Coordinates of all heavy atoms in Angstrom, one line a residue:
P322 N 22.7 -1.8 -20.5 CA 21.6 -0.9 -20.0 C 20.7 -0.4 -21.1 O 21.2 -0.2 -22.3 CB 22.4 0.3 -19.4 CG 23.7 -0.3 -19.0 CD 24.0 -1.3 -20.1
H323 N 19.4 -0.3 -20.9 CA 18.5 0.1 -21.9 C 17.2 0.6 -21.2 O 17.1 0.5 -19.9 CB 18.1 -1.1 -22.8 CG 17.6 -2.2 -22.1 ND1 16.2 -2.4 -21.8 CD2 18.2 -3.3 -21.5 CE1 16.0 -3.5 -21.1 NE2 17.2 -4.1 -20.9
A324 N 16.3 1.1 -21.9 CA 15.0 1.6 -21.4 C 14.2 0.4 -20.8 O 14.3 -0.7 -21.3 CB 14.2 2.3 -22.4
P325 N 13.5 0.6 -19.7 CA 12.7 -0.5 -19.1 C 11.6 -1.0 -20.1 O 11.1 -0.3 -20.9 CB 12.0 0.2 -17.9 CG 12.9 1.4 -17.6 CD 13.4 1.8 -18.9
L326 N 11.3 -2.3 -19.9 CA 10.2 -2.9 -20.7 C 8.9 -2.4 -20.3 O 8.7 -1.9 -19.2 CB 10.3 -4.4 -20.6 CG 11.5 -5.2 -21.0 CD1 11.4 -6.6 -20.6 CD2 11.8 -5.0 -22.4
G327 N 7.9 -2.5 -21.2 CA 6.5 -2.2 -20.9 C 5.8 -3.5 -20.4 O 4.6 -3.6 -20.3
T328 N 6.6 -4.5 -20.1 CA 6.0 -5.8 -19.6 C 6.0 -5.9 -18.1 O 7.0 -5.5 -17.4 CB 7.0 -7.0 -20.1 OG1 6.9 -7.0 -21.5 CG2 6.6 -8.3 -19.5
A329 N 4.9 -6.3 -17.5 CA 4.8 -6.5 -16.1 C 5.8 -7.6 -15.6 O 6.0 -8.6 -16.3 CB 3.4 -6.9 -15.6
I330 N 6.5 -7.4 -14.5 CA 7.5 -8.3 -14.0 C 7.1 -8.8 -12.6 O 6.8 -7.9 -11.7 CB 8.9 -7.8 -14.0 CG1 9.4 -7.5 -15.5 CG2 9.8 -8.7 -13.3 CD1 10.8 -7.0 -15.6
H331 N 7.0 -10.1 -12.4 CA 6.8 -10.6 -11.1 C 8.0 -11.5 -10.7 O 8.2 -12.5 -11.4 CB 5.5 -11.4 -11.0 CG 4.3 -10.6 -11.1 ND1 3.4 -10.5 -10.0 CD2 3.8 -9.7 -12.0 CE1 2.4 -9.6 -10.3 NE2 2.7 -9.1 -11.5
A332 N 8.7 -11.1 -9.7 CA 10.0 -11.8 -9.3 C 9.6 -12.7 -8.1 O 9.1 -12.2 -7.1 CB 11.1 -10.8 -9.0
L333 N 9.9 -14.0 -8.2 CA 9.6 -14.9 -7.1 C 10.9 -15.6 -6.7 O 11.9 -15.8 -7.4 CB 8.7 -16.0 -7.6 CG 7.3 -15.6 -8.3 CD1 6.5 -16.8 -8.7 CD2 6.5 -14.7 -7.3
A334 N 10.9 -16.1 -5.4 CA 12.0 -16.9 -4.9 C 11.4 -17.9 -3.9 O 10.4 -17.6 -3.2 CB 13.1 -16.1 -4.2
G335 N 11.9 -19.1 -3.9 CA 11.4 -20.1 -2.9 C 12.0 -19.8 -1.5 O 13.2 -19.5 -1.4
A336 N 11.2 -20.0 -0.5 CA 11.7 -19.7 0.9 C 12.8 -20.6 1.3 O 13.6 -20.3 2.1 CB 10.5 -19.9 1.9
E337 N 12.9 -21.8 0.7 CA 14.0 -22.8 1.0 C 15.1 -22.7 0.0 O 16.0 -23.6 0.0 CB 13.4 -24.2 1.1 CG 12.5 -24.4 2.3 CD 11.1 -23.9 2.0 OE1 10.6 -24.1 0.9 OE2 10.5 -23.2 2.9
D338 N 15.1 -21.7 -0.9 CA 16.2 -21.6 -1.9 C 17.5 -21.2 -1.2 O 17.6 -20.2 -0.5 CB 15.8 -20.5 -2.9 CG 16.8 -20.3 -4.0 OD1 17.9 -21.0 -4.0 OD2 16.5 -19.6 -4.9
P339 N 18.6 -22.1 -1.3 CA 19.8 -21.8 -0.6 C 20.5 -20.6 -1.2 O 21.4 -20.0 -0.6 CB 20.7 -23.1 -0.9 CG 20.0 -23.7 -2.1 CD 18.6 -23.4 -2.0
M340 N 20.1 -20.1 -2.4 CA 20.7 -18.9 -3.0 C 19.9 -17.7 -2.7 O 20.2 -16.6 -3.3 CB 20.7 -19.1 -4.5 CG 21.5 -20.3 -5.0 SD 21.6 -20.5 -6.8 CE 22.4 -22.1 -7.0
L341 N 18.8 -17.8 -1.9 CA 17.9 -16.7 -1.7 C 18.6 -15.4 -1.3 O 18.3 -14.3 -1.7 CB 16.8 -17.1 -0.8 CG 15.7 -16.0 -0.4 CD1 15.0 -15.5 -1.7 CD2 14.7 -16.5 0.6
A342 N 19.5 -15.5 -0.4 CA 20.2 -14.4 0.2 C 20.9 -13.5 -0.8 O 21.1 -12.3 -0.6 CB 21.2 -14.8 1.3
T343 N 21.3 -14.2 -1.9 CA 22.1 -13.4 -2.9 C 21.3 -13.2 -4.2 O 21.8 -12.6 -5.2 CB 23.4 -14.2 -3.3 OG1 23.0 -15.5 -3.8 CG2 24.3 -14.4 -2.1
T344 N 20.0 -13.5 -4.2 CA 19.2 -13.4 -5.4 C 18.8 -11.9 -5.7 O 18.8 -11.5 -6.8 CB 17.9 -14.2 -5.3 OG1 18.3 -15.6 -5.2 CG2 17.0 -14.1 -6.5
G345 N 18.4 -11.1 -4.7 CA 18.1 -9.7 -4.9 C 17.0 -9.5 -5.8 O 17.1 -8.9 -6.9
L346 N 15.8 -9.9 -5.4 CA 14.6 -9.8 -6.3 C 14.2 -8.4 -6.6 O 13.8 -8.1 -7.7 CB 13.4 -10.5 -5.7 CG 13.5 -12.0 -5.4 CD1 12.2 -12.5 -4.7 CD2 13.7 -12.8 -6.7
G347 N 14.5 -7.5 -5.7 CA 14.0 -6.1 -5.9 C 14.6 -5.4 -7.1 O 14.1 -4.4 -7.7
G348 N 15.8 -5.9 -7.5 CA 16.5 -5.3 -8.7 C 15.7 -5.4 -10.0 O 15.9 -4.6 -10.9

Side-chain angles (χ1 to χ4, degrees):
H323 60 86
L326 298 176
T328 294
I330 294 179
H331 287 246
L333 307 179
E337 292 80 44
D338 184 352
M340 302 180 188
L341 178 60
T343 58
T344 297
L346 298 178

